Amino acid sequence: MEQFFYYVKVSWVSIKRAPLPYALTVFILSLGLGVFFANATFYYQMNSDPLPHKSDKLFYPMTLMVPYECNDCLPPRIHSYSNVQKLSASDIPTAKVAMYSSDGYLRLSSSQAPTPVSIRITQPAFFSMFEVPLLHGSVWSDDKARQELILSKQTAEKIFGRSNVVGEKVLLDDRHYTVIGVLDNWQMLPRLYDANNRNHVNDADQVYMPLETGYDYNYMSNSQSHTFDDTDFRQLGTQGRTGALHQLQFWVQLDTQAQQQAYRQFMDNLVADEKKAGRHQSTPNNQLVAMRDIVRFFGGESADIKAFALVTLLFLGVCLFNASHLSLNRYLSNQYEFSLRRALGASRLQLQQQMLADVLLMTLFCTLCGLLIAWGGVELLNYLWPANRLFGRWDPTLLLLLLGLTLSSSYLVTLYPSLRASFGGLNQQLKE
Amino acid sequence: MIQLKNLSKVFRTELIETHALRQIELQVSEGEFVALTGPSGSGKSTLLNVLGTLEHFDEGDYLLDGQSVRGLSDRQLSALRNEKIGFIFQGFNLIKDYSLLDNIELPLRYRGISASERKRRALEALELVGLAARKDYHPSQLSGGQQQRVAIARAIAGQPRILLADEPTGNLDSLMARQVMELLEQINRQGCTILMVTHDPDQARRASRQVQIVDGQLSDAAMYDPLAVKLA
Ligand SMILES: Nc1ncnc2c1ncn2[C@@H]1O[C@H](COP(=O)(O)OP(=O)(O)OP(=O)(O)O)[C@@H](O)[C@H]1O
Ligand SMILES: [Mg+2]
């Protein structure tokens, strides 16, 4: 231990001997690391798996059941109400949920100014399938229409000034509802259940309404909807339930390989039967996509972020190269001391230990400086791409990755120069 | 204790080959004070560096205490340098931002000696060269002669059996040079074998033996009969 502190002290003394070149080395390396890390933050968060234990068990089925002939077509990303009913008519999935999103205005009484809110119109299985934490109250007991809402914690606090508001009355678009549940803080990142229209980068919804109520009151989807026949979208409660108006997202939970196999077969049979019944003419094209693959399937990966990741990686390479160069100069100007230590009996191993102390100090400075630059970078990216703002956050894993990267970069920057210095001709240096 | 057998050393650069040492045969016994003389560029420093294992050689063999240094690992060579050999350079080679004590402790560090023992030995060595009162000074606060005495203290702090000195007085005026010489003689009297490169015939004469190198070769007369050199 005493020896270790001595090595650190020696490093420190040699830094003090020429602080400017050292500071420049640290700065260049930190710049590369910081810029890379800022971008890597977004890349990492966007590609992270919010439900790793479940993302291969939740599936998004799609079928090509539209009322006109379309061969070589991809199935629509959203479903009609009647198709969801057909896809739900099976006991194979452990759970299933249909949903969509809309907007509304929320207030306590008609004398208050209304607050615009985003609404997820869904079924009780949503909360268990996507592991939504509940703070107060409960979710709906079945899929039927009812004048009951579930609020996010922030929404409850905003409207009522507190979170436990179970049993309270609210006005949503001037209809009366009772609050039966309040969610705990919850933000799935990315929101993979809402990936079909690139909404997976958005904030969580604020108000939750039963699906049937949403259809009864004619709430249209605010993200993606498509009519394949002459269904009147103002008649959602009637025509919307029978016609080819597609706007629903549909998820099934298939825990085992056998369930997945069976459900695929079920979809195939369903589509074949429907074709036989003359309700569509297309060549079947069924898709069953796991949640962990859904963003890629929908082509929702951010090309900017990907391109940037590459550019910043190259930039890091350039910085590493430059920092190595500076570091080499520093070591060569200190080579005399290396040689002296060798002449006095230090082995190469002992010099390498000395070098490790250099690496540690360099890592320390670069981590601090790099984090600062990365923080600035994240702020800048948030400003330039506010849509991705939710992903500019650090978690312990990410910080640990940064530390590892800084350590290996510092090692790289120190390794070659110090090897050069410790293998250099000994007598050469000592002559001067 | 030192035995060089037919030892040769060639420096190769892209343009030329320099035969710095040619077929050197040399034996030095324990307790000798050998003065190495010769014209500039004749290979004196190279010989000293080979003896100190700072430089490899191409042919022949070098036995130290009967053991060949050929084929020793880096760790073994370092240990050998650290424990058996003390170095004194013409340019002192003290580390400027360390105190005298830290400078002297340097070789002891690499031997894994405890802090208190290190300090005791370093102080003892500093005492011997008469600079104990300035242990916390930095090299730049000393005169050249004092710096060379610190370098000597560093070289002897590890109680080496061989002291290799490359023109230790080359940068000093005659008064300081004499002090340093007296110090070396004192160390030699205590049993340490010394090989010293010098250009000063007076100093060379004070050694127990003189060896002359010319163009990388030991001149025969010098090797076998020190008297012959004195007469020449
Ligand atoms: N690293 C090296 N590479 C190439 N040639 C070298 C190297 N070191 C020494 N030489 C050559 O080897 C020869 C002997 O050099 P050395 O330094 O031993 O001479 P010296 O006797 O110590 O001279 P001086 O009295 O001037 O110090 C010289 O011709 C020198 O140019
Ligand atoms: Mg020389």
Side-chain angles (χ1 to χ4, degrees), chain A residues 431, chain B residues 40-41 43-46 49 90 166-167 197 199:
Chain A
K431 263 188 217 162
Chain B
S40 183
K44 305 181 295 292
S45 297
T46 307
N49 285 328
Q90 180 175 359
D166 195 349
E167 300 187 48
V197 172
H199 278 123

Side-chain angles (χ1 to χ4, degrees), chain A residues 2-3 6 9-10 13 17 336-337 340-348 350 426-427 430, chain B residues 49 54-55 74 78 81-82 87 89 93-95 97-98 102 106-107 109-110 115 118 154:
Chain A
E2 196 245 338
Q3 193 65 9
Y6 174 71
K9 197 181 116 193
V10 169
V13 167
R17 204 172 290 154
Y336 145 79
E337 197 185 315
L340 178 63
R341 287 174 190 277
R342 296 269 291 139
L344 297 180
S347 64
R348 291 215 168 96
Q350 281 167 321
L426 281 180
N427 68 328
L430 299 172
Chain B
N49 285 328
L54 296 183
E55 194 89 75
D74 177 69
S78 310
R81 274 202 290 276
N82 188 281
F87 253 104
F89 310 90
N93 284 334
L94 299 172
I95 299 180
D97 15 29
Y98 289 11
D102 282 343
L106 214 54
R109 291 234 169 229
Y110 295 113
R118 244 176 11 231
R154 179 179 63 191

Side-chain angles (χ1 to χ4, degrees), chain B residues 38-133:
Chain B
S40 183
S42 56
K44 305 181 295 292
S45 297
T46 307
L47 179 60
L48 217 57
N49 285 328
V50 166
L51 289 173
T53 73
L54 296 183
E55 194 89 75
H56 297 287
F57 49 90
D58 299 296
E59 272 163 42
D61 206 352
Y62 167 17
L63 305 184
L64 188 60
D65 288 331
Q67 200 205 5
S68 171
V69 302
R70 257 181 194 280
L72 289 187
S73 69
D74 177 69
R75 211 163 53 92
Q76 289 167 317
L77 281 178
S78 310
L80 187 147
R81 274 202 290 276
N82 188 281
E83 285 160 26
K84 290 195 178 167
I85 300 171
F87 253 104
I88 302 168
F89 310 90
Q90 180 175 359
F92 318 145
N93 284 334
L94 299 172
I95 299 180
K96 291 179 188 55
D97 15 29
Y98 289 11
S99 70
L100 302 190
L101 215 52
D102 282 343
N103 265 294
I104 295 171
E105 281 187 19
L106 214 54
L108 303 179
R109 291 234 169 229
Y110 295 113
R111 213 187 288 181
I113 292 175
S114 76
S116 55
E117 174 67 9
R118 244 176 11 231
K119 187 156 183 199
R120 195 187 63 74
R121 287 210 202 173
L123 271 175
E124 207 177 272
L126 211 48
E127 199 96 46
L128 190 78
V129 301
L131 288 167

Side-chain angles (χ1 to χ4, degrees), chain B residues 85-224:
Chain B
I85 300 171
F87 253 104
I88 302 168
F89 310 90
Q90 180 175 359
F92 318 145
N93 284 334
L94 299 172
I95 299 180
K96 291 179 188 55
D97 15 29
Y98 289 11
S99 70
L100 302 190
L101 215 52
D102 282 343
N103 265 294
I104 295 171
E105 281 187 19
L106 214 54
L108 303 179
R109 291 234 169 229
Y110 295 113
R111 213 187 288 181
I113 292 175
S114 76
S116 55
E117 174 67 9
R118 244 176 11 231
K119 187 156 183 199
R120 195 187 63 74
R121 287 210 202 173
L123 271 175
E124 207 177 272
L126 211 48
E127 199 96 46
L128 190 78
V129 301
L131 288 167
R134 309 192 180 190
K135 63 183 164 60
D136 293 322
Y137 278 42
H138 283 243
S140 58
Q141 295 165 301
L142 300 181
S143 74
Q146 288 169 329
Q147 288 191 40
Q148 192 58 300
R149 271 147 62 193
V150 174
I152 293 173
R154 179 179 63 191
I156 61 170
Q159 289 157 354
R161 292 175 42 226
I162 306 167
L163 207 54
L164 302 172
D166 195 349
E167 300 187 48
T169 58
N171 280 344
L172 304 178
D173 67 28
S174 54
L175 181 70
M176 285 185 182
R178 210 168 57 225
Q179 286 178 355
V180 166
M181 260 318 275
E182 277 162 12
L183 192 55
L184 289 177
E185 282 165 348
Q186 186 190 341
I187 292 164
N188 178 241
R189 277 196 299 276
Q190 288 167 0
C192 187
T193 311
I194 297 183
L195 278 98
M196 179 183 76
V197 172
T198 182
H199 278 123
D200 182 341
D202 289 334
Q203 280 184 11
R205 237 169 276 135
R206 290 168 71 164
S208 64
R209 174 146 72 109
Q210 292 188 42
V211 171
Q212 196 181 22
I213 308 184
V214 179
D215 200 14
Q217 283 175 302
L218 295 192
S219 81
D220 286 359
M223 222 183 105
Y224 296 114

Side-chain angles (χ1 to χ4, degrees), chain A residues 188-208:
Chain A
M188 186 191 272
L189 270 185
R191 283 191 327 150
L192 295 181
Y193 60 84
D194 204 4
N196 55 300
N197 203 24
R198 301 213 52 197
N199 285 327
H200 57 288
V201 298
N202 291 352
D203 282 311
D205 295 296
Q206 296 163 308
V207 173
Y208 297 79

Side-chain angles (χ1 to χ4, degrees), chain A residues 26-99:
Chain A
V26 167
F27 175 72
I28 287 181
L29 195 56
S30 305
L31 192 68
L33 286 167
V35 168
F36 174 75
F37 188 57
N39 195 75
T41 301
F42 287 90
Y43 189 79
Y44 167 87
Q45 297 286 17
M46 289 222 159
N47 289 296
S48 69
D49 190 339
L51 287 179
H53 54 288
K54 224 175 172 182
S55 61
D56 58 341
K57 300 191 172 83
L58 297 174
F59 288 86
Y60 195 79
M62 283 165 278
T63 56
L64 188 53
M65 293 195 289
V66 288
Y68 58 86
E69 184 165 351
C70 182
N71 296 314
D72 296 335
C73 283
L74 277 175
R77 295 176 175 194
I78 37 182
H79 301 269
S80 69
Y81 185 94
S82 59
N83 282 351
V84 162
Q85 282 195 313
K86 289 166 192 161
L87 284 166
S88 304
S90 157
D91 291 335
I92 300 163
T94 314
K96 52 212 167 199
V97 67
M99 60 187 170

